[in-house]
Short mmCIF file of all heavy atoms in Angstrom, two decimals:
data_model
loop_
_atom_site.label_atom_id
_atom_site.label_comp_id
_atom_site.label_asym_id
_atom_site.label_seq_id
_atom_site.Cartn_x
_atom_site.Cartn_y
_atom_site.Cartn_z
N GLU W 1 0.81 -1.22 0.00
CA GLU W 1 0.00 0.00 0.00
C GLU W 1 0.85 1.27 0.00
O GLU W 1 0.31 2.37 -0.16
CB GLU W 1 -0.95 -0.02 1.20
CG GLU W 1 -2.02 -1.10 1.08
CD GLU W 1 -3.12 -0.93 2.11
OE1 GLU W 1 -2.87 -0.22 3.12
OE2 GLU W 1 -4.20 -1.49 1.90
N ASN W 2 2.16 1.14 0.17
CA ASN W 2 3.03 2.31 0.02
C ASN W 2 3.21 2.69 -1.45
O ASN W 2 3.66 3.79 -1.76
CB ASN W 2 4.40 2.04 0.64
CG ASN W 2 4.34 1.91 2.15
OD1 ASN W 2 3.64 2.69 2.80
ND2 ASN W 2 5.05 0.93 2.69
N ILE W 3 2.91 1.75 -2.32
CA ILE W 3 3.02 2.00 -3.77
C ILE W 3 1.65 2.24 -4.38
O ILE W 3 1.45 3.19 -5.15
CB ILE W 3 3.74 0.82 -4.45
CG1 ILE W 3 5.19 0.75 -3.94
CG2 ILE W 3 3.72 0.99 -5.97
CD1 ILE W 3 5.96 -0.44 -4.46
N ALA W 4 0.67 1.38 -4.07
CA ALA W 4 -0.68 1.54 -4.60
C ALA W 4 -1.67 0.98 -3.61
O ALA W 4 -1.42 -0.05 -2.97
CB ALA W 4 -0.81 0.85 -5.95
N THR W 5 -2.83 1.63 -3.48
CA THR W 5 -3.91 1.14 -2.63
C THR W 5 -5.08 0.72 -3.50
O THR W 5 -5.19 1.14 -4.66
CB THR W 5 -4.37 2.22 -1.64
OG1 THR W 5 -4.87 3.35 -2.38
CG2 THR W 5 -3.22 2.67 -0.74
N VAL W 6 -5.99 -0.11 -2.93
CA VAL W 6 -7.19 -0.51 -3.63
C VAL W 6 -8.32 -0.58 -2.59
O VAL W 6 -8.14 -1.09 -1.48
CB VAL W 6 -7.01 -1.87 -4.35
CG1 VAL W 6 -6.65 -2.98 -3.38
CG2 VAL W 6 -8.25 -2.23 -5.15
N ASP W 7 -9.50 -0.02 -2.92
CA ASP W 7 -10.61 -0.03 -1.97
C ASP W 7 -11.53 -1.20 -2.25
O ASP W 7 -11.29 -2.03 -3.14
CB ASP W 7 -11.34 1.31 -1.98
CG ASP W 7 -12.05 1.60 -3.29
OD1 ASP W 7 -12.20 0.68 -4.13
OD2 ASP W 7 -12.46 2.77 -3.50
N GLU W 8 -12.65 -1.29 -1.47
CA GLU W 8 -13.57 -2.42 -1.58
C GLU W 8 -14.29 -2.48 -2.91
O GLU W 8 -14.85 -3.51 -3.28
CB GLU W 8 -14.59 -2.36 -0.43
CG GLU W 8 -15.54 -1.18 -0.48
CD GLU W 8 -14.98 0.07 0.18
OE1 GLU W 8 -13.75 0.10 0.49
OE2 GLU W 8 -15.73 1.03 0.37
N ASN W 9 -14.27 -1.37 -3.66
CA ASN W 9 -14.91 -1.33 -4.97
C ASN W 9 -13.91 -1.59 -6.11
O ASN W 9 -14.28 -1.49 -7.28
CB ASN W 9 -15.60 0.01 -5.19
CG ASN W 9 -16.70 0.25 -4.18
OD1 ASN W 9 -17.53 -0.64 -3.93
ND2 ASN W 9 -16.71 1.45 -3.59
N GLY W 10 -12.68 -1.89 -5.77
CA GLY W 10 -11.68 -2.18 -6.79
C GLY W 10 -11.07 -0.96 -7.43
O GLY W 10 -10.49 -1.04 -8.52
N VAL W 11 -11.16 0.20 -6.76
CA VAL W 11 -10.54 1.43 -7.28
C VAL W 11 -9.10 1.48 -6.79
O VAL W 11 -8.85 1.51 -5.58
CB VAL W 11 -11.31 2.68 -6.84
CG1 VAL W 11 -10.60 3.94 -7.34
CG2 VAL W 11 -12.74 2.63 -7.37
N ILE W 12 -8.16 1.50 -7.74
CA ILE W 12 -6.73 1.47 -7.44
C ILE W 12 -6.18 2.89 -7.54
O ILE W 12 -6.47 3.62 -8.49
CB ILE W 12 -5.99 0.55 -8.42
CG1 ILE W 12 -6.62 -0.85 -8.42
CG2 ILE W 12 -4.51 0.47 -8.08
CD1 ILE W 12 -6.16 -1.73 -9.55
N THR W 13 -5.33 3.28 -6.56
CA THR W 13 -4.74 4.62 -6.54
C THR W 13 -3.22 4.51 -6.45
O THR W 13 -2.70 3.82 -5.56
CB THR W 13 -5.26 5.44 -5.34
OG1 THR W 13 -6.68 5.53 -5.41
CG2 THR W 13 -4.67 6.85 -5.35
N GLY W 14 -2.52 5.20 -7.38
CA GLY W 14 -1.06 5.23 -7.33
C GLY W 14 -0.59 6.13 -6.19
O GLY W 14 -1.08 7.25 -6.04
N VAL W 15 0.33 5.62 -5.38
CA VAL W 15 0.81 6.36 -4.22
C VAL W 15 2.24 6.85 -4.42
O VAL W 15 2.55 8.02 -4.24
CB VAL W 15 0.73 5.49 -2.95
CG1 VAL W 15 1.31 6.24 -1.75
CG2 VAL W 15 -0.72 5.09 -2.67
N ALA W 16 3.14 5.96 -4.79
CA ALA W 16 4.55 6.31 -4.96
C ALA W 16 5.16 5.45 -6.06
O ALA W 16 4.64 4.38 -6.39
CB ALA W 16 5.31 6.14 -3.65
N GLU W 17 6.27 5.92 -6.61
CA GLU W 17 6.91 5.21 -7.71
C GLU W 17 7.30 3.80 -7.27
O GLU W 17 7.85 3.59 -6.19
CB GLU W 17 8.14 5.97 -8.17
CG GLU W 17 8.83 5.36 -9.37
CD GLU W 17 10.07 6.14 -9.80
OE1 GLU W 17 10.62 6.88 -8.94
OE2 GLU W 17 10.46 6.00 -10.97
N GLY W 18 6.99 2.83 -8.09
CA GLY W 18 7.35 1.46 -7.79
C GLY W 18 6.39 0.48 -8.45
O GLY W 18 5.56 0.85 -9.29
N GLU W 19 6.47 -0.81 -8.06
CA GLU W 19 5.64 -1.85 -8.66
C GLU W 19 5.09 -2.76 -7.55
O GLU W 19 5.81 -3.13 -6.62
CB GLU W 19 6.46 -2.67 -9.66
CG GLU W 19 5.66 -3.68 -10.46
CD GLU W 19 6.51 -4.33 -11.54
OE1 GLU W 19 6.72 -3.69 -12.58
OE2 GLU W 19 6.98 -5.46 -11.32
N THR W 20 3.82 -3.12 -7.63
CA THR W 20 3.20 -4.01 -6.68
C THR W 20 2.14 -4.84 -7.38
O THR W 20 1.97 -4.73 -8.61
CB THR W 20 2.60 -3.24 -5.49
OG1 THR W 20 2.18 -4.17 -4.49
CG2 THR W 20 1.42 -2.38 -5.93
N THR W 21 1.39 -5.65 -6.60
CA THR W 21 0.36 -6.52 -7.16
C THR W 21 -0.96 -6.27 -6.45
O THR W 21 -1.00 -6.14 -5.22
CB THR W 21 0.75 -7.99 -6.99
OG1 THR W 21 1.99 -8.22 -7.67
CG2 THR W 21 -0.31 -8.92 -7.57
N ILE W 22 -2.03 -6.19 -7.23
CA ILE W 22 -3.39 -6.10 -6.70
C ILE W 22 -4.05 -7.47 -6.90
O ILE W 22 -4.03 -8.03 -8.00
CB ILE W 22 -4.20 -5.02 -7.40
CG1 ILE W 22 -3.57 -3.65 -7.16
CG2 ILE W 22 -5.65 -5.04 -6.94
CD1 ILE W 22 -3.54 -3.23 -5.71
N THR W 23 -4.66 -8.04 -5.83
CA THR W 23 -5.30 -9.36 -5.89
C THR W 23 -6.80 -9.23 -5.60
O THR W 23 -7.20 -8.53 -4.65
CB THR W 23 -4.67 -10.32 -4.87
OG1 THR W 23 -3.27 -10.41 -5.13
CG2 THR W 23 -5.31 -11.70 -4.96
N ALA W 24 -7.60 -9.87 -6.46
CA ALA W 24 -9.06 -9.94 -6.27
C ALA W 24 -9.41 -11.37 -5.88
O ALA W 24 -9.05 -12.32 -6.58
CB ALA W 24 -9.78 -9.53 -7.54
N THR W 25 -10.17 -11.55 -4.77
CA THR W 25 -10.50 -12.88 -4.26
C THR W 25 -12.00 -13.03 -4.05
O THR W 25 -12.64 -12.13 -3.47
CB THR W 25 -9.78 -13.15 -2.92
OG1 THR W 25 -8.37 -13.00 -3.11
CG2 THR W 25 -10.08 -14.56 -2.41
N VAL W 26 -12.58 -14.15 -4.57
CA VAL W 26 -13.98 -14.53 -4.31
C VAL W 26 -13.93 -15.95 -3.78
O VAL W 26 -13.65 -16.90 -4.54
CB VAL W 26 -14.83 -14.43 -5.58
CG1 VAL W 26 -16.28 -14.84 -5.26
CG2 VAL W 26 -14.79 -13.02 -6.16
N GLY W 27 -14.19 -16.10 -2.51
CA GLY W 27 -14.11 -17.42 -1.92
C GLY W 27 -12.72 -17.99 -2.05
O GLY W 27 -11.74 -17.39 -1.59
N GLU W 28 -12.64 -19.13 -2.73
CA GLU W 28 -11.34 -19.76 -2.94
C GLU W 28 -10.72 -19.38 -4.28
O GLU W 28 -9.63 -19.83 -4.61
CB GLU W 28 -11.49 -21.29 -2.86
CG GLU W 28 -11.92 -21.78 -1.50
CD GLU W 28 -12.02 -23.30 -1.44
OE1 GLU W 28 -11.83 -23.93 -2.51
OE2 GLU W 28 -12.28 -23.84 -0.37
N LEU W 29 -11.45 -18.55 -5.03
CA LEU W 29 -10.95 -18.12 -6.34
C LEU W 29 -10.26 -16.77 -6.22
O LEU W 29 -10.72 -15.89 -5.49
CB LEU W 29 -12.10 -18.03 -7.34
CG LEU W 29 -12.92 -19.30 -7.56
CD1 LEU W 29 -14.11 -19.00 -8.46
CD2 LEU W 29 -12.04 -20.40 -8.15
N SER W 30 -9.18 -16.55 -6.98
CA SER W 30 -8.47 -15.27 -6.93
C SER W 30 -7.73 -15.01 -8.25
O SER W 30 -7.48 -15.94 -9.03
CB SER W 30 -7.47 -15.22 -5.77
OG SER W 30 -6.44 -16.17 -5.97
N ALA W 31 -7.38 -13.74 -8.46
CA ALA W 31 -6.59 -13.32 -9.62
C ALA W 31 -5.76 -12.11 -9.22
O ALA W 31 -6.13 -11.35 -8.32
CB ALA W 31 -7.49 -12.97 -10.80
N SER W 32 -4.63 -11.91 -9.89
CA SER W 32 -3.72 -10.80 -9.56
C SER W 32 -3.34 -10.02 -10.81
O SER W 32 -3.37 -10.54 -11.93
CB SER W 32 -2.45 -11.34 -8.88
OG SER W 32 -2.76 -11.97 -7.67
#
C-alpha cells in the first residue's frame, strides 16, 4: 500500500513510484 492502494470497490490509486500486485479474491478463487 506504500506504492498503490485498492478499496472495496476495486478502485486502485497510485501512491509512490514502484511496482506491486493487486489481488481480487472470491471465496477460494483469486486473480492478480
Side-chain angles (χ1 to χ4, degrees):
E1 292 192 341
N2 292 319
I3 295 175
T5 62
V6 60
D7 66 13
E8 66 274 12
N9 298 313
V11 177
I12 306 167
T13 303
V15 177
E17 184 180 22
E19 187 173 282
T20 189
T21 300
I22 297 298
T23 302
T25 303
V26 180
E28 295 182 356
L29 302 174
S30 66
S32 297

